[in-house]
Amino acid sequence: MLTISGSGLSSESSSGLLPPYDELYYRGVRAYFSEDWERAAEFLEKSISTRYKLLRIRRKCHDECLTAGDDKISEQDKEDMIFWDLGVLEWIQVRAECVKFCMSRSVSPAALLPVSSDIEYEFGTRNPYNYLQVTYYKLNKMTKAASAAHTFFVANPSHLEMRNNIEKYKRMLGVKEEFFQDREREHEQHWEMYDAAIQAESSSDWLKAVKMWNECVNETLKQTEECRAQCVTAPRVIPEEPDTVQGVYERAADLSLSMMSCQQTCVTLVSTRPGRVSAMEDFLPLQLEHLHIAQFKAGDLKGAVETLRSLLLFYPTDSDNLSNLDLYTQTLEGDTEAQQTGPAPEISKYVNRALQEKKLLYFGMANLDFKFSDPDLWTPEDVVPESLRETWRAEKEQLHEKLKQGDKMDEVDDSGFYAGGPIPVAGVSITLDDQGLNGTNRVVLDGVLSQSECDRVMQLATVAASAGDGYRGRRSPHTPHEKFEGLTVLRALKLAQGGLVNQSDARLLHGIGETVKELMDSYFRTPSLLYFAYTHLVCRSAITGHQEGRSDLSHPVHVDNCILEPESRQCWREAPAFTHRDLSAVLYLNDDFEGGDFFFTDRDAKTVTATVKPKCGRLVGFTSGPVNPHGVTAVTKGRRCALALWFTTEKHHKDMEREEAEDLWAADGQSVVKDEKADGENVVKSARSGRSQGKEKSKDRERVTGRRDEL
């Protein structure tokens, strides 16, 4: 294909028609590996923007041609039905010609051709942004580099190299948090709304929950329609003529079934978060279930009836939903109009269309040897032909068994830690183990601190609060009914240097951490070297006058190193979770307060499996992964203080504030109690740590890696 000198674009671009985005992408990649960074950025950006222009043009042509050929069908209604099939073929041809003509007005012939599966995979996994983040780094355009890195990472959360790059960007001078924008956010807004709705529910803000669930449902339907439109207008590779030559009707049926199968697949695509392998099952019905409950709690009974009747279109015999409908209608006694509210029209349309497509697709499976994978759990049996029902039932039973097996996954911890090791500290005893806590890799130890030691550390927290340190007594980020106070080991040292607390108390806080590390390391039989990831002393205080009618938690149920998704019982080890955390520990300092119990749950975040009452010197230890979801009940009176500690086996994630405190003590000629089993790590400080290393620290940018390059 010829190119225009100097522009680097295909010849078709001179006519104003959209060039093929796969060609632009290939040119960008070639420029990247030639280290021609300006041209790499130009072509990669143009490939991304051209692809989205193509998608918008396809949607526009789909809408313009939606009614093309309808007159051919209406004419057949008045004529002899013997020619009806010919009329249908003419209708299909007219619509196809309309789409083709519409596309040709804006898109070059080369861009009308299907792209390879490799290109679809590259863009589906956001790989162009992988190239772009390094390209912009080389061009010293850090705002764009950070945005590209973040956009790629959202869809590739297990990509360790990119995670490290993002951390390096964050430590660079002038790089701000707002630089890390997801450039694909526009196409994933329903997930933002979903998360916002869940958050509103957790804080019992039912009016906001109703608003967000409504928006989530509408955006899910919108994204589904966008996807379905692409199935109609996107080009397809026509298979070579088979050995047995098909007739025109068979070929037309195959193409129509392929399009409908593509449209059904949109359910899976829209229900899959970026970076996830599997879709969230029953995504739309799940939203409706949340919505009707939120509407009921917000007092919108008419809306709850409409939503519940919409949900019953998916599961018309569900006993719980039918019971809820009886409750809602009885509560609305006297309001006949509200009682008779029907399902939402858009949901009725969605379900009716899906059922019609499924009937045709299952017919194709039974009679035309067509392959179809149903994306929905709610599909009723009566749409499946008799000849397929036995196989269909067996597959459905296998799926339910698989889901049941998924429930049992909670019992398996693949972290490499194994509870049951020795307790190396005198006076410390095991109060509850895995059996007593109904879980895996959990323990409660008592006797870790004496009462006098608890009192001294409590006093540290009090001084920190009065000095405006730590959390400065601000309201908790988890609940408006409590405030936070707290400090780290480094801040305790600085308070001691300022004469506000005793040096011995600051050193006590440090030493307690070392004791806890020794206990955790031994009891959980750490498979490799263990490092402090973070330590902080935190106090939660109930705010007087803000406790009446309170139904929230002091700290909602969560997992320390992954994002818990209770509906699917999955836990996603990706940002913003602290994925490097391996072991967690909470050491309590007092019990003179009300509420504030620590509890473990099942992955549903609802079923409490064990509860622990805080008291001085009591330590709760557990692995930080998905086998141990946990939370804290509301502190309704008094002040609850505890030392929270997290540990990691990843050296480059160790707690650098703690290291700095130890360095300051050493500089003053004071020794500190420290586990020296580490591999000589204090000889050289890695630049990867992000901690300031004094006046001699280099001002050069840290190296950023991408694909096969370390830059």
Side-chain angles (χ1 to χ4, degrees), residues 73-145:
I73 296 295
S74 61
E75 287 174 9
Q76 292 301 316
D77 293 340
K78 304 171 185 176
E79 298 178 6
D80 194 334
M81 289 300 291
I82 197 171
F83 298 113
W84 186 85
D85 52 350
L86 296 176
V88 170
L89 289 175
E90 187 178 6
W91 168 65
I92 292 172
Q93 183 178 357
V94 169
R95 182 167 293 188
E97 288 175 349
C98 175
V99 171
K100 182 178 179 181
F101 175 74
C102 176
M103 294 287 292
S104 66
R105 288 181 298 176
S106 305
V107 182
S108 68
L112 287 172
L113 298 174
V115 299
S116 70
S117 58
D118 288 341
I119 286 292
E120 289 181 345
Y121 178 81
E122 289 286 293
F123 280 84
T125 56
R126 302 190 182 183
N127 215 33
Y129 296 100
N130 192 2
Y131 289 112
L132 275 174
Q133 66 97 15
V134 179
T135 300
Y136 283 129
Y137 171 83
K138 288 291 189 178
L139 294 171
N140 199 25
K141 296 180 179 180
M142 293 305 153
T143 302
K144 292 184 176 181

Coordinates of all heavy atoms in Angstrom, one line a residue, residues 73-145:
I73 N -40.8 -6.5 4.0 CA -41.5 -7.4 4.8 C -43.0 -7.1 4.9 O -43.8 -8.0 4.8 CB -40.9 -7.4 6.3 CG1 -39.5 -7.9 6.3 CG2 -41.7 -8.2 7.2 CD1 -39.3 -9.4 5.9
S74 N -43.3 -5.8 5.0 CA -44.7 -5.4 5.0 C -45.4 -5.7 3.7 O -46.6 -6.1 3.7 CB -44.8 -3.9 5.3 OG -44.2 -3.1 4.3
E75 N -44.7 -5.6 2.6 CA -45.3 -6.0 1.3 C -45.7 -7.5 1.3 O -46.7 -7.9 0.7 CB -44.3 -5.7 0.2 CG -44.2 -4.2 -0.1 CD -43.1 -3.9 -1.2 OE1 -42.6 -4.9 -1.7 OE2 -42.8 -2.7 -1.4
Q76 N -44.8 -8.3 1.9 CA -45.1 -9.7 1.9 C -46.3 -10.1 2.7 O -47.0 -11.1 2.5 CB -43.9 -10.5 2.5 CG -42.6 -10.4 1.6 CD -42.9 -11.0 0.2 OE1 -43.5 -12.1 0.1 NE2 -42.5 -10.3 -0.8
D77 N -46.7 -9.2 3.7 CA -47.9 -9.5 4.5 C -49.1 -9.5 3.6 O -50.1 -10.1 4.0 CB -48.0 -8.5 5.6 CG -46.9 -8.7 6.6 OD1 -46.3 -9.7 6.6 OD2 -46.6 -7.7 7.4
K78 N -49.0 -8.7 2.5 CA -50.2 -8.6 1.6 C -50.2 -9.5 0.4 O -51.1 -9.6 -0.4 CB -50.3 -7.1 1.1 CG -50.3 -6.1 2.2 CD -50.1 -4.7 1.7 CE -50.0 -3.6 2.8 NZ -49.8 -2.3 2.3
E79 N -49.1 -10.2 0.2 CA -49.0 -11.1 -0.9 C -49.0 -12.6 -0.6 O -49.1 -12.9 0.6 CB -47.7 -10.7 -1.7 CG -47.6 -9.3 -2.2 CD -46.3 -9.0 -2.8 OE1 -45.5 -9.9 -3.0 OE2 -46.1 -7.8 -3.2
D80 N -48.9 -13.4 -1.5 CA -48.9 -14.8 -1.3 C -47.7 -15.3 -0.5 O -46.6 -14.9 -0.7 CB -48.8 -15.5 -2.7 CG -49.2 -17.0 -2.6 OD1 -49.0 -17.6 -1.5 OD2 -49.6 -17.6 -3.6
M81 N -48.0 -16.0 0.6 CA -47.0 -16.4 1.6 C -46.0 -17.3 1.0 O -44.9 -17.6 1.6 CB -47.7 -17.0 2.8 CG -48.4 -16.1 3.7 SD -47.4 -14.8 4.3 CE -46.3 -15.7 5.4
I82 N -46.3 -17.9 -0.2 CA -45.3 -18.8 -0.8 C -44.0 -18.1 -1.2 O -43.0 -18.7 -1.3 CB -46.0 -19.4 -2.1 CG1 -45.1 -20.7 -2.5 CG2 -46.0 -18.5 -3.3 CD1 -45.8 -21.5 -3.6
F83 N -44.1 -16.8 -1.4 CA -42.9 -16.0 -1.7 C -42.3 -15.3 -0.5 O -41.4 -14.4 -0.6 CB -43.2 -15.0 -2.8 CG -43.7 -15.6 -4.1 CD1 -45.0 -15.4 -4.5 CD2 -42.8 -16.3 -4.8 CE1 -45.4 -15.9 -5.7 CE2 -43.2 -16.9 -6.0 CZ -44.5 -16.7 -6.4
W84 N -42.8 -15.6 0.7 CA -42.3 -14.9 1.9 C -40.8 -15.0 2.2 O -40.2 -14.1 2.5 CB -43.1 -15.4 3.1 CG -42.8 -14.7 4.4 CD1 -43.4 -13.5 4.8 CD2 -41.8 -15.0 5.4 NE1 -42.9 -13.1 6.0 CE2 -41.9 -14.0 6.4 CE3 -40.9 -16.0 5.5 CZ2 -41.1 -13.9 7.5 CZ3 -40.0 -16.0 6.6 CH2 -40.1 -14.9 7.6
D85 N -40.3 -16.2 1.9 CA -38.9 -16.4 2.2 C -38.0 -15.6 1.2 O -37.0 -15.1 1.6 CB -38.5 -17.9 2.0 CG -39.0 -18.5 0.7 OD1 -39.7 -17.8 0.0 OD2 -38.6 -19.7 0.4
L86 N -38.5 -15.4 0.0 CA -37.7 -14.5 -0.9 C -37.8 -13.1 -0.4 O -36.8 -12.4 -0.5 CB -38.3 -14.6 -2.3 CG -38.2 -16.0 -3.0 CD1 -38.9 -16.0 -4.3 CD2 -36.7 -16.4 -3.1
G87 N -38.9 -12.7 0.1 CA -39.0 -11.3 0.7 C -38.1 -11.1 1.8 O -37.5 -10.0 2.0
V88 N -37.9 -12.1 2.7 CA -37.0 -12.0 3.8 C -35.5 -11.9 3.3 O -34.8 -11.0 3.8 CB -37.1 -13.3 4.7 CG1 -36.0 -13.3 5.8 CG2 -38.5 -13.3 5.4
L89 N -35.2 -12.7 2.3 CA -33.8 -12.5 1.8 C -33.6 -11.1 1.2 O -32.5 -10.6 1.3 CB -33.6 -13.6 0.7 CG -33.5 -15.0 1.2 CD1 -33.3 -16.0 0.0 CD2 -32.2 -15.2 2.1
E90 N -34.6 -10.6 0.5 CA -34.5 -9.3 -0.1 C -34.3 -8.2 1.0 O -33.6 -7.3 0.9 CB -35.7 -9.0 -0.9 CG -35.6 -7.6 -1.7 CD -36.7 -7.3 -2.6 OE1 -37.7 -8.1 -2.5 OE2 -36.7 -6.3 -3.3
W91 N -35.1 -8.4 2.1 CA -35.0 -7.5 3.3 C -33.6 -7.5 3.9 O -33.0 -6.5 4.1 CB -36.0 -8.0 4.3 CG -35.8 -7.3 5.7 CD1 -36.0 -6.0 5.9 CD2 -35.5 -8.0 6.9 NE1 -35.8 -5.8 7.3 CE2 -35.4 -7.0 7.9 CE3 -35.2 -9.3 7.2 CZ2 -35.1 -7.3 9.2 CZ3 -34.9 -9.6 8.5 CH2 -34.9 -8.6 9.5
I92 N -33.0 -8.7 4.0 CA -31.6 -8.9 4.5 C -30.6 -8.2 3.6 O -29.7 -7.5 4.0 CB -31.3 -10.3 4.7 CG1 -32.1 -11.0 5.8 CG2 -29.8 -10.5 5.0 CD1 -31.9 -12.5 5.9
Q93 N -30.8 -8.4 2.3 CA -29.9 -7.8 1.3 C -30.0 -6.2 1.3 O -29.0 -5.6 1.3 CB -30.3 -8.3 -0.1 CG -29.3 -7.8 -1.2 CD -29.6 -8.3 -2.6 OE1 -30.5 -9.1 -2.7 NE2 -28.9 -7.9 -3.6
V94 N -31.2 -5.7 1.4 CA -31.4 -4.2 1.4 C -30.7 -3.6 2.7 O -30.0 -2.6 2.6 CB -32.9 -3.9 1.4 CG1 -33.1 -2.4 1.7 CG2 -33.5 -4.2 0.1
R95 N -30.9 -4.3 3.8 CA -30.2 -3.8 5.0 C -28.7 -3.9 4.9 O -28.0 -3.0 5.3 CB -30.7 -4.6 6.2 CG -30.2 -4.0 7.5 CD -30.9 -4.6 8.8 NE -32.2 -4.1 8.8 CZ -33.0 -4.3 9.9 NH1 -32.6 -5.0 10.9 NH2 -34.2 -3.8 9.9
A96 N -28.2 -5.0 4.4 CA -26.8 -5.1 4.2 C -26.2 -4.1 3.3 O -25.1 -3.5 3.6 CB -26.4 -6.5 3.7
E97 N -26.9 -3.8 2.2 CA -26.4 -2.8 1.3 C -26.4 -1.4 1.9 O -25.6 -0.6 1.6 CB -27.3 -2.8 0.0 CG -27.0 -4.0 -0.9 CD -28.0 -4.1 -2.1 OE1 -29.0 -3.3 -2.1 OE2 -27.7 -4.9 -3.0
C98 N -27.4 -1.1 2.7 CA -27.5 0.1 3.4 C -26.3 0.3 4.3 O -25.7 1.4 4.3 CB -28.8 0.2 4.3 SG -28.9 1.7 5.3
V99 N -26.0 -0.7 5.1 CA -24.8 -0.7 6.0 C -23.5 -0.5 5.2 O -22.7 0.4 5.6 CB -24.7 -1.9 6.9 CG1 -23.4 -2.0 7.7 CG2 -25.9 -2.0 7.9
K100 N -23.4 -1.2 4.1 CA -22.2 -1.1 3.3 C -22.0 0.2 2.7 O -20.9 0.8 2.8 CB -22.3 -2.2 2.2 CG -21.0 -2.2 1.3 CD -21.1 -3.3 0.3 CE -19.9 -3.3 -0.6 NZ -20.0 -4.3 -1.7
F101 N -23.1 0.8 2.2 CA -23.0 2.2 1.6 C -22.7 3.2 2.7 O -21.8 4.1 2.5 CB -24.3 2.5 0.9 CG -24.4 3.9 0.4 CD1 -23.6 4.3 -0.7 CD2 -25.1 4.9 1.1 CE1 -23.7 5.6 -1.2 CE2 -25.1 6.2 0.6 CZ -24.4 6.5 -0.6
C102 N -23.3 3.1 3.9 CA -23.1 4.0 5.0 C -21.6 4.0 5.4 O -21.0 5.0 5.6 CB -24.0 3.7 6.1 SG -23.7 4.7 7.6
M103 N -21.1 2.8 5.6 CA -19.7 2.6 6.0 C -18.7 3.2 5.0 O -17.7 3.8 5.3 CB -19.4 1.2 6.3 CG -20.1 0.5 7.4 SD -19.6 1.1 9.0 CE -18.0 0.4 9.1
S104 N -19.0 2.9 3.7 CA -18.1 3.4 2.6 C -18.0 4.9 2.5 O -17.0 5.4 2.0 CB -18.5 2.8 1.3 OG -19.8 3.3 0.9
R105 N -18.9 5.6 3.1 CA -18.8 7.1 3.0 C -17.8 7.6 4.0 O -17.3 8.7 3.8 CB -20.2 7.7 3.4 CG -21.3 7.5 2.3 CD -22.6 8.2 2.7 NE -23.1 7.6 3.9 CZ -24.2 8.0 4.5 NH1 -24.8 9.1 4.1 NH2 -24.6 7.4 5.6
S106 N -17.4 6.8 5.0 CA -16.5 7.3 6.0 C -15.2 6.4 6.2 O -14.3 6.9 6.7 CB -17.2 7.4 7.3 OG -18.4 8.2 7.3
V107 N -15.3 5.2 5.7 CA -14.2 4.3 5.9 C -13.6 3.8 4.6 O -14.3 3.5 3.7 CB -14.8 3.0 6.7 CG1 -13.6 2.1 7.1 CG2 -15.4 3.5 8.0
S108 N -12.2 3.7 4.6 CA -11.5 3.3 3.4 C -11.8 1.8 3.2 O -12.1 1.0 4.1 CB -10.0 3.5 3.5 OG -9.5 2.7 4.6
P109 N -11.7 1.3 1.9 CA -11.9 -0.1 1.6 C -11.0 -1.0 2.5 O -11.5 -2.1 3.0 CB -11.5 -0.2 0.2 CG -11.8 1.1 -0.4 CD -11.5 2.1 0.7
A110 N -9.8 -0.7 2.7 CA -8.9 -1.5 3.5 C -9.4 -1.6 5.0 O -9.2 -2.6 5.6 CB -7.5 -1.0 3.5
A111 N -9.9 -0.5 5.5 CA -10.4 -0.5 6.9 C -11.7 -1.2 7.0 O -12.1 -1.5 8.2 CB -10.5 0.9 7.4
L112 N -12.4 -1.5 5.9 CA -13.6 -2.3 6.0 C -13.4 -3.8 6.2 O -14.3 -4.5 6.6 CB -14.5 -2.1 4.7 CG -15.1 -0.7 4.6 CD1 -15.7 -0.6 3.2 CD2 -16.2 -0.5 5.6
L113 N -12.1 -4.2 5.9 CA -11.8 -5.6 6.0 C -11.7 -6.0 7.5 O -11.3 -5.2 8.4 CB -10.5 -5.9 5.3 CG -10.5 -5.6 3.8 CD1 -9.1 -5.8 3.2 CD2 -11.5 -6.6 3.1
P114 N -11.9 -7.3 7.8 CA -11.7 -7.8 9.2 C -10.3 -7.7 9.6 O -9.4 -7.9 8.8 CB -12.2 -9.2 9.2 CG -13.0 -9.4 7.9 CD -12.4 -8.4 7.0
V115 N -10.0 -7.4 10.9 CA -8.6 -7.4 11.4 C -8.4 -8.8 11.9 O -9.3 -9.6 12.2 CB -8.4 -6.4 12.5 CG1 -8.7 -5.0 12.0 CG2 -9.3 -6.7 13.7
S116 N -7.1 -9.1 12.1 CA -6.7 -10.5 12.6 C -7.1 -10.6 14.0 O -7.3 -9.7 14.8 CB -5.2 -10.7 12.4 OG -4.5 -9.8 13.3
S117 N -7.1 -11.9 14.5 CA -7.4 -12.2 15.9 C -6.3 -11.7 16.8 O -6.5 -11.3 17.9 CB -7.6 -13.7 16.1 OG -6.5 -14.4 15.6
D118 N -5.1 -11.6 16.2 CA -4.0 -11.1 17.0 C -4.2 -9.6 17.4 O -3.9 -9.2 18.5 CB -2.6 -11.3 16.3 CG -2.2 -12.7 16.2 OD1 -2.7 -13.5 17.0 OD2 -1.4 -13.0 15.3
I119 N -4.7 -8.9 16.4 CA -4.9 -7.4 16.6 C -6.1 -7.3 17.6 O -6.0 -6.4 18.5 CB -5.2 -6.7 15.3 CG1 -3.9 -6.6 14.4 CG2 -5.8 -5.3 15.5 CD1 -2.9 -5.6 15.0
E120 N -7.1 -8.1 17.4 CA -8.2 -8.0 18.4 C -7.7 -8.2 19.8 O -8.2 -7.6 20.8 CB -9.3 -8.9 18.0 CG -10.1 -8.5 16.7 CD -11.2 -9.5 16.4 OE1 -11.2 -10.6 16.9 OE2 -12.0 -9.2 15.5
Y121 N -6.8 -9.2 19.9 CA -6.3 -9.5 21.3 C -5.5 -8.4 21.8 O -5.6 -8.0 23.0 CB -5.5 -10.8 21.2 CG -4.8 -11.2 22.5 CD1 -5.5 -11.9 23.5 CD2 -3.5 -10.9 22.8 CE1 -5.0 -12.2 24.7 CE2 -2.9 -11.2 24.0 CZ -3.6 -11.9 24.9 OH -3.1 -12.2 26.1
E122 N -4.6 -7.8 21.0 CA -3.8 -6.7 21.4 C -4.6 -5.5 22.0 O -4.3 -5.0 23.0 CB -2.9 -6.2 20.2 CG -1.8 -7.1 19.8 CD -0.7 -7.1 20.7 OE1 0.0 -6.1 20.8 OE2 -0.4 -8.1 21.4
F123 N -5.7 -5.2 21.3 CA -6.5 -4.1 21.7 C -7.4 -4.5 22.9 O -7.7 -3.7 23.8 CB -7.3 -3.5 20.6 CG -6.5 -2.6 19.7 CD1 -5.7 -3.0 18.7 CD2 -6.5 -1.2 19.9 CE1 -4.9 -2.2 17.9 CE2 -5.8 -0.3 19.1 CZ -5.0 -0.8 18.1
G124 N -7.8 -5.8 22.8 CA -8.7 -6.3 23.9 C -7.9 -6.3 25.3 O -8.5 -6.1 26.3
T125 N -6.6 -6.5 25.2 CA -5.8 -6.5 26.4 C -5.1 -5.2 26.7 O -4.3 -5.0 27.6 CB -4.7 -7.6 26.4 OG1 -4.0 -7.4 25.2 CG2 -5.4 -9.0 26.3
R126 N -5.5 -4.2 25.9 CA -4.9 -2.8 26.0 C -3.4 -2.7 25.8 O -2.7 -1.9 26.4 CB -5.3 -2.2 27.4 CG -6.8 -2.1 27.7 CD -7.1 -1.3 28.9 NE -8.5 -1.2 29.2 CZ -9.0 -0.6 30.2 NH1 -8.2 0.2 31.0 NH2 -10.3 -0.5 30.4
N127 N -2.9 -3.6 25.0 CA -1.4 -3.6 24.8 C -0.8 -2.4 24.2 O 0.3 -2.0 24.4 CB -1.0 -4.9 24.1 CG 0.3 -5.4 24.6 OD1 0.6 -5.3 25.7 ND2 1.1 -5.9 23.7
P128 N -1.6 -1.6 23.3 CA -1.0 -0.4 22.8 C -0.6 0.6 23.9 O 0.4 1.3 23.8 CB -2.2 0.2 22.0 CG -3.0 -1.0 21.6 CD -2.9 -1.9 22.7
Y129 N -1.3 0.6 25.1 CA -0.9 1.4 26.2 C 0.4 1.0 26.8 O 1.1 1.8 27.5 CB -2.0 1.5 27.2 CG -3.2 2.2 26.6 CD1 -4.3 1.4 26.2 CD2 -3.3 3.5 26.5 CE1 -5.5 1.9 25.7 CE2 -4.5 4.1 26.0 CZ -5.5 3.3 25.6 OH -6.7 3.9 25.0
N130 N 0.7 -0.3 26.7 CA 2.0 -0.9 27.2 C 3.1 -0.2 26.5 O 4.1 0.2 27.0 CB 2.0 -2.4 27.1 CG 3.1 -3.0 27.8 OD1 3.9 -2.4 28.5 ND2 3.2 -4.3 27.7
Y131 N 3.0 -0.2 25.1 CA 4.0 0.5 24.3 C 4.1 2.0 24.6 O 5.1 2.6 24.7 CB 3.8 0.3 22.8 CG 4.0 -1.1 22.3 CD1 2.9 -1.9 21.9 CD2 5.3 -1.7 22.3 CE1 3.1 -3.2 21.4 CE2 5.5 -3.0 21.8 CZ 4.4 -3.7 21.4 OH 4.7 -5.0 20.9
L132 N 2.9 2.6 24.7 CA 2.8 4.0 24.9 C 3.5 4.5 26.2 O 4.1 5.6 26.2 CB 1.4 4.5 24.8 CG 0.8 4.8 23.4 CD1 -0.7 5.1 23.5 CD2 1.5 5.9 22.7
Q133 N 3.3 3.8 27.3 CA 3.9 4.3 28.5 C 5.4 4.4 28.4 O 6.0 5.3 29.0 CB 3.4 3.4 29.7 CG 3.9 2.0 29.7 CD 5.2 1.8 30.6 OE1 5.5 2.6 31.4 NE2 5.8 0.7 30.4
V134 N 6.1 3.4 27.8 CA 7.5 3.5 27.6 C 7.9 4.6 26.6 O 8.8 5.4 26.8 CB 8.1 2.2 27.1 CG1 9.6 2.3 27.0 CG2 7.8 1.1 28.1
T135 N 7.1 4.7 25.5 CA 7.3 5.8 24.5 C 7.3 7.2 25.1 O 8.2 8.0 24.9 CB 6.3 5.6 23.4 OG1 6.4 4.4 22.8 CG2 6.5 6.7 22.3
Y136 N 6.2 7.4 25.9 CA 6.1 8.7 26.5 C 7.2 9.0 27.6 O 7.6 10.1 27.8 CB 4.7 8.9 27.1 CG 3.7 9.2 26.1 CD1 2.5 8.5 26.0 CD2 3.9 10.2 25.1 CE1 1.5 8.8 25.0 CE2 3.0 10.5 24.1 CZ 1.8 9.8 24.1 OH 0.9 10.0 23.1
Y137 N 7.6 7.9 28.3 CA 8.7 8.0 29.2 C 10.0 8.5 28.5 O 10.7 9.4 29.0 CB 8.9 6.7 29.9 CG 10.2 6.7 30.8 CD1 10.2 7.1 32.1 CD2 11.4 6.1 30.3 CE1 11.3 7.1 32.8 CE2 12.5 6.1 31.0 CZ 12.5 6.6 32.3 OH 13.6 6.6 33.1
K138 N 10.2 7.9 27.4 CA 11.4 8.2 26.6 C 11.3 9.7 26.1 O 12.3 10.4 25.9 CB 11.5 7.3 25.4 CG 12.0 5.9 25.7 CD 13.4 5.9 26.2 CE 13.9 4.5 26.4 NZ 15.4 4.5 26.8
L139 N 10.1 10.1 25.8 CA 9.9 11.5 25.4 C 9.8 12.5 26.5 O 9.5 13.7 26.3 CB 8.6 11.6 24.5 CG 8.7 10.8 23.2 CD1 7.3 10.8 22.5 CD2 9.7 11.4 22.2
N140 N 9.9 12.0 27.7 CA 9.8 12.8 28.9 C 8.5 13.5 29.1 O 8.3 14.6 29.6 CB 10.9 13.9 28.9 CG 11.2 14.5 30.3 OD1 10.9 13.8 31.3 ND2 11.7 15.7 30.4
K141 N 7.4 12.8 28.7 CA 6.0 13.3 28.8 C 5.4 12.4 29.9 O 4.7 11.5 29.6 CB 5.3 13.2 27.5 CG 5.9 14.1 26.4 CD 5.1 13.9 25.1 CE 5.7 14.9 24.0 NZ 4.9 14.8 22.8
M142 N 5.7 12.8 31.2 CA 5.3 11.9 32.3 C 3.8 11.9 32.5 O 3.3 10.9 33.0 CB 6.0 12.4 33.6 CG 7.5 12.2 33.5 SD 7.9 10.5 33.1 CE 9.5 10.7 32.3
T143 N 3.1 12.9 32.2 CA 1.6 12.9 32.4 C 1.0 11.8 31.5 O 0.2 11.0 32.0 CB 1.0 14.3 32.1 OG1 1.6 15.3 32.9 CG2 -0.5 14.2 32.3
K144 N 1.4 11.8 30.3 CA 0.9 10.8 29.4 C 1.4 9.4 29.7 O 0.7 8.4 29.5 CB 1.2 11.2 27.9 CG 0.5 12.4 27.4 CD 0.8 12.7 26.0 CE 0.0 13.9 25.5 NZ 0.2 14.2 24.1
A145 N 2.7 9.3 30.1 CA 3.3 8.0 30.5 C 2.5 7.4 31.6 O 2.2 6.2 31.6 CB 4.7 8.2 30.8

